[in-house]
Amino acid sequence: MKLLMVGAGLSGAVIGRKLAEAGHTITIVDSRDHVAGNCHTERDAETGVLVHRYGPHIFHTDDAEVWDYVTGFESFQPYKNRVKTTAQGQVFSLPINLHTINQFYGRTFRPEEARAFIETQADTSISDPQTFEEQALRFVGRDLYEAFFKGYTVKQWGMQPTELPASILKRLPVRFNYDDNYFFHRFQGMPETGYTAMVERILDHPGITVHLNTSFTRAEAGDYDHVFYSGPLDGWFDYELGRLGYRTLDFERFTHVGDYQGCAVMNYGDENVPFTRISEHKHFAPWEEHDGSVCYREYSRACEPGDIPYYPIRQVREKALLAEYVALAEKAEGVTFVGRLGTYRYLDMDVTIREALDTAAAFLAHGTDVPAFVKPPL
Ligand code: FAD
Ligand code: UDP
């Protein structure tokens, strides 16, 4: 069979590898000049620091099979994501934890005291929070919401938290102890030689041929028995029903001698600071030593044609359009839509790999009868 994979990100690499190991030959194309998609890492020419070109990527998962998979291709260094935020003239610890609460209110609460205090701040009249704002008011109250979430969210999403779903905030925990690990997951780490080196190893199989700087168009699909497509779902259909909304990011690079901010990620909660966060990339690889430092200010804005789509918006309008594209996709022959763009979902790397493994397994079980979506996007 002639198989094509569009995209050499994690979706493309993992599906390609599994199919190649099962004896298939597979061609992988990517329009970029590198593999690894959005988790691409490269050495900064000036400082030598390993940079995450499309924004900071920290690997975290509870899925032991996915952890075994990545550690089979790369050695991971222990890494805990410890994020700080500058808000209202002070630096606080995120996610909101006992240190944040005590510092913010100038108190010395123990865990149960803090829990009881926050309950007095919370709006308990909200029983079933629907919006981001309701979720925040219900669980942390107005003061913490306005300091840490409101301004940041307006900058990140370009809309009021009253218009956003509660699910976005549910990604962040509130802790009544001093645990400042951003994630709950059992397995966390950073690839020692970078994500791109890891993906290169995944792709290093005689059954796989990779063509970089190669854009795919739908007209080419007929040359293959089956196509796995990790590009944008609406792009497959030449945007014929309109564009699915995304936020894009602009990164403003600057360098510094020594240590600029003392941590990898500093968020900025105030709405009048135009960027959402600054990443100082040498702190993502604390086992390396560099005198120089390279940092990126991150600005979020609406994604226009030609911009890189980063965060799917998935509001009511987009979901309605998504449903129309899904209906078209389910009628399309010979293609399976995968990954964060192909299914128009925010997917962490571990979920992307899990779904890629499942997609390859589905293809190996059903051949070209594999459905358009192994994981439905709605
Ligand atoms: P992608 O990485 O987007 O790869 C798709 C590839 O397809 C791209 O290389 C693209 O060039 C190519 N392509 C598209 N269309 C075409 C075409 N027509 N022809 C040829 N090639 C094409 N996850 C975490 O687990 N931890 C994190 O800390 C984390 N941080 C993130 C930070 C940001 C700012 C963002 C946006 C995402 C973050 N993620 C994180 C998610 C992570 O980036 C994704 O899970 C992962 O990149 C998805 O891989 P993918 O292969 O599906 O898509
Ligand atoms: N958020 C916030 N303040 C912060 C960090 C996050 O208000 O300091 C909100 C913001 O709306 C963001 C959401 O919480 O989109 C989820 O945060 P996360 O850190 O998971 O964002 P991501 O990694 O998706 O950029």
Side-chain angles (χ1 to χ4, degrees), residues 262-332:
C263 63
V265 180
M266 175 66 76
N267 288 357
Y268 285 83
D270 299 336
E271 198 176 335
N272 61 1
V273 175
F275 42 87
T276 51
R277 57 186 180 178
I278 298 179
S279 309
E280 184 168 16
H281 287 233
K282 71 178 178 182
H283 294 301
F284 291 122
W287 59 93
E288 295 189 359
E289 276 188 33
H290 300 279
D291 297 331
S293 195
V294 58
C295 305
Y296 292 85
R297 291 187 192 93
E298 206 169 308
Y299 300 80
S300 170
R301 64 175 169 82
C303 185
E304 306 287 343
D307 291 330
I308 300 176
Y310 281 99
Y311 293 96
I313 294 177
R314 293 182 72 94
Q315 288 288 86
V316 174
R317 190 196 80 84
E318 284 78 16
K319 279 196 178 158
L321 186 56
L322 175 62
E324 292 181 44
Y325 275 119
V326 167
L328 281 185
E330 281 170 345
K331 279 189 244 133

Side-chain angles (χ1 to χ4, degrees), residues 7 10-11 30-31 38 56-58 216 339-340 347-349 352:
L10 284 173
S11 297
D30 202 298
S31 47
N38 272 12
H57 278 70
I58 297 105
F216 163 86
R340 60 175 202 100
L347 297 181
D348 275 327
M349 292 181 282
T352 302

Side-chain angles (χ1 to χ4, degrees), residues 66-92:
V66 167
W67 183 244
D68 283 350
Y69 186 85
V70 292
T71 53
F73 290 99
E74 168 69 351
S75 153
F76 274 70
Q77 288 279 348
Y79 187 88
K80 294 263 186 291
N81 194 24
R82 296 205 163 87
V83 177
K84 304 284 178 259
T85 186
T86 297
Q88 302 179 353
Q90 288 189 69
V91 175
F92 296 92

Side-chain angles (χ1 to χ4, degrees), residues 81-121:
N81 194 24
R82 296 205 163 87
V83 177
K84 304 284 178 259
T85 186
T86 297
Q88 302 179 353
Q90 288 189 69
V91 175
F92 296 92
S93 167
L94 284 184
I96 292 178
N97 62 66
L98 192 48
H99 203 162
T100 324
I101 295 165
N102 276 332
Q103 182 187 351
F104 188 82
Y105 290 104
R107 308 296 285 261
T108 56
F109 291 131
R110 289 183 295 107
E112 291 318 317
E113 293 165 342
R115 194 185 290 275
F117 176 78
I118 291 298
E119 201 54 20
T120 68
Q121 303 296 302

